[in-house]
Amino acid sequence: MGTFSLAPDQLAWCAELRELAGRRLAPIAEKGEPGRVNRPLVAELGQLGLLDRLFTSGALDLCLMRESLAQVCTEAETALALQGLGAHPVHAYGTKEQRERWLPEVSAGRAVAAFALSEPGAGSDAAALALRAEPNGEKDGGWRLTGEKCWISNAPEADLYTVFARTGAPSAGARGVTAFLVPADRPGLTGDHLDMLSQHPIGLLTFAGVPVGPDDVLGEIGGGFRTAMDTLNLFRPSVGAFAVGMAQAALDATLAHTAQRRAFGGPLKDLQTVAHQVADMALRVESARLMVYAAASAYDEGADGVPRRAAMAKLLATETAQQVVDAAVQLHGARALHRGHLLEHLYREVRAPRIYEGATEIQRAVIARDLYRGDSYRGSTEERKP
Ligand code: COS
């Protein structure tokens, strides 16, 4: 990446991804059953080598993939992202055995992964999670998992779950959480689908004494909250990239529509109120995009202030995308509300990213805490205070 723009090879890769999304992925996405995991789509993402890149490239490449796919096929984008979110803790914190067992399968698109953090009573307040990991009392040092997870993408169809459970006392808060790699075929693990505004493979999970052993722990016992937060630091900018891709698609559709649709004796674009609104949409999309790239690059470089920058990028991009998609609907008029219209799809699709992986309000909390800590990164032109 150049200082403020993508390098020619990155731009060419994005164009190639958009082309693949249209030619190879969208036709498979269309055949999928709404609200269910589309396994042929996941397999095709594996075949194209895109899932492998989740684990071999950095945050910026993840953002470029998500933005490019989202412009053409949101289903492919989401299927890719969920493999990454679910399996990243295995990639980053797993033992050699866990990695060898699962990552080749996830990369090939044969195994579907899921990230199970949220619970009915613990969404924004993730440290309040209540799923219990109780010692099984046997010599092997294992546990039994009891409780519920909710709004888990790819559940209950996934093959492996990264599950965050309480191994310490409730009073231990964030420090009493441990991450486990739970294969879907463990006894006592069941689930159900949830029917959402935008039809996604998403569901709830019930753990009725699911056995896990020391070999299933991901990272350190008691270190699970950090594992979750570090995973979100990587994925939050990329949620922003997904939003930027959708906003760009809405902007492109608006440019085409306002150039050809005639009203009051000429094309809509000749009305200054329309042209200025379109200019404003483009301005917002571009600023969100730059913020996303900057946050992802900061992650890749191990720069200061990664949680704050990730939070800023996610917040700005998801809120921007909502505004841009809404403006695009307005400029298209009633046709945008027809079921099956691109904008009707984007209008439903754009809402959830303002909530998941940390709602906008949580991102503000992350930003504010960092600012008040006093040692925060103050911008690229100013030295860090000692
Ligand atoms: N990156 C790295 N570490 C982080 C972090 C981040 N983004 N956020 C918190 N931490 C660390 C803190 O530094 C602290 O570590 P120490 O105990 O070593 O000091 C620990 O985690 C606990 O943090 P904190 O005390 O801030 O926890 P809180 O419970 O007060 O709040 C928030 C944490 C609100 C930031 C957290 O619960 C959150 O991100 N909530 C949203 C959850 C979410 O995104 N859910 C979506 C699930 S996936 S769809």
Side-chain angles (χ1 to χ4, degrees), residues 100-361:
E100 284 177 0
R101 163 71 183 88
W102 288 107
L103 294 180
E105 293 297 297
V106 172
S107 296
R110 286 189 294 268
V112 169
F115 183 83
L117 176 63
S118 298
E119 297 182 5
S124 288
D125 186 3
L129 66 86
L131 185 101
R132 299 190 311 279
E134 292 164 318
N136 62 8
E138 290 168 28
K139 277 203 196 112
D140 66 4
W143 299 261
R144 288 194 177 272
L145 303 179
T146 306
E148 267 188 298
K149 292 287 175 187
C150 200
W151 309 297
I152 306 305
S153 291
N154 281 345
E157 297 175 78
D159 300 300
L160 70 149
Y161 296 93
T162 298
V163 178
F164 298 88
R166 184 158 293 291
T167 39
S171 58
R175 290 174 190 270
V177 175
T178 301
F180 293 94
L181 194 172
V182 183
D185 57 6
R186 286 288 158 93
L189 177 56
T190 54
D192 216 342
H193 294 281
L194 292 169
D195 190 12
M196 308 296 275
L197 170 67
S198 192
Q199 287 192 307
H200 276 268
I202 186 167
L204 49 85
L205 294 170
T206 304
F207 295 75
V210 175
V212 284
D215 291 349
D216 300 317
V217 172
L218 279 171
E220 302 288 318
I221 294 173
F225 195 74
R226 181 51 74 101
T227 300
M229 291 301 128
D230 285 346
T231 302
L232 292 170
N233 288 337
L234 168 61
F235 277 86
R236 282 175 179 162
S238 80
V239 175
F242 170 41
V244 166
M246 288 191 284
Q248 184 66 50
L251 174 62
D252 291 345
T254 304
L255 282 169
H257 176 70
T258 53
Q260 61 81 27
R261 168 78 171 165
R262 295 181 68 83
F264 306 109
L268 282 183
K269 71 178 173 58
D270 287 354
L271 298 173
Q272 195 179 53
T273 148
V274 170
H276 281 192
Q277 177 138 34
V278 172
D280 200 43
M281 290 161 72
L283 171 77
R284 285 166 188 246
V285 175
E286 185 64 7
S287 54
R289 177 181 284 119
L290 290 172
M291 182 80 103
V292 165
Y293 292 172
S297 300
Y299 183 98
D300 286 339
E301 288 158 14
D304 289 329
V306 161
R308 172 173 47 82
R309 300 179 108 175
M312 286 181 169
K314 188 202 177 250
L315 189 164
L316 181 76
T318 57
E319 294 291 331
T320 295
Q322 177 88 54
Q323 292 163 357
V324 168
V325 170
D326 188 65
V329 168
Q330 196 69 15
L331 288 169
H332 277 73
R335 64 185 40 73
L337 302 178
H338 285 219
R339 209 166 288 285
H341 191 280
L342 170 70
L343 287 169
E344 179 264 345
H345 171 71
L346 293 176
Y347 191 71
R348 285 185 287 110
E349 199 69 26
V350 81
R351 189 62 184 84
R354 289 171 59 208
I355 295 174
Y356 63 56
E357 293 188 39
T360 290
E361 294 72 15

